[in-house]
Amino acid sequence: MPDSLFPRGAGLGGPPVLTAGCPFSAVELQAMESDGVVRRILAQVYVPAAARATAQLRARALAQTLTPRVRERTVAGRMTAAWVLGCAPAPERPVMLVESTRRLARLGTGDRLLVHEVRFGDLDVVDIAGLRVTSGLRTAIDLALHSEERTALPVLRRLLDHPGLGLTPALVSAGLEAMPRQPHKERARRVLGCLGSPEGATPEGRPAGGPLERGPSC
């Protein structure tokens, strides 16, 4: 792929992340995708076809879909954070978390995002390529609490297998117990208790299935 295809400086900090109008139109990007020059990484965000998918690249791609105000005030969380970490499929509607002391109405997110009010601890948020994302531990706890069991288990297993996160079932369980007044806590305990069961089993003992459970492994 010739270097002249992308604007000068587009690759600073990593491979270029392209959206319609920066500098190619949506039609041009779709044609380039058909030709195998670029690939879609998230929504209408493209990267060079040969670019290695990393947490940094996914974070930069997600940041391209957010307004500066949303980037400043929210944190990528739940399945969206798991995607940034490489353990879940790309989200159709990114989940962004906002500290409960802030006002959601002022964010102006429209219907492109799912935004939830939460409380963060001191170690719950990390910076990845300039995007705030929930830590691996907080992400795992949130998935156990808020995601449907059959969807959460395969992603939780990938998070536990991720060599850079240092997670164990005991650590995630301890983090869950340290969070006070959480709804669905008993269900989350049940989900975490299944992490030692054979791959693909659900809390009810049924084989797991469905498109969300076939995402990329870490």
Side-chain angles (χ1 to χ4, degrees), residues 82-171:
W83 171 73
V84 171
L85 295 171
C87 298
E92 293 184 7
R93 293 178 67 190
V95 174
M96 305 301 293
L97 308 179
V98 62
E99 182 69 49
S100 57
T101 56
R102 296 182 181 270
R103 296 186 60 181
L104 286 175
R106 293 183 176 178
L107 288 177
T109 60
D111 59 359
R112 298 174 295 104
L113 306 172
L114 296 173
V115 183
H116 301 282
E117 291 184 351
V118 301
R119 289 189 178 275
F120 291 118
D122 293 339
L123 302 178
D124 284 345
V125 179
V126 297
D127 182 286
I128 301 179
L131 180 74
R132 295 196 302 162
V133 181
T134 53
S135 66
L137 178 58
R138 177 60 188 261
T139 300
I141 294 170
D142 282 348
L143 292 182
L145 282 168
H146 302 292
S147 293
E148 197 270 337
E149 294 167 352
R150 288 166 58 85
T151 300
L153 274 173
V155 178
L156 282 166
R157 287 191 174 103
R158 294 182 187 113
L159 288 167
L160 291 173
D161 289 341
H162 193 300
L165 297 180
L167 298 179
T168 65
L171 179 61

Side-chain angles (χ1 to χ4, degrees), residues 3-24:
D3 292 339
S4 59
L5 183 62
F6 299 112
R8 186 176 299 276
L12 292 178
V17 173
L18 305 171
T19 57
C22 299
F24 305 105

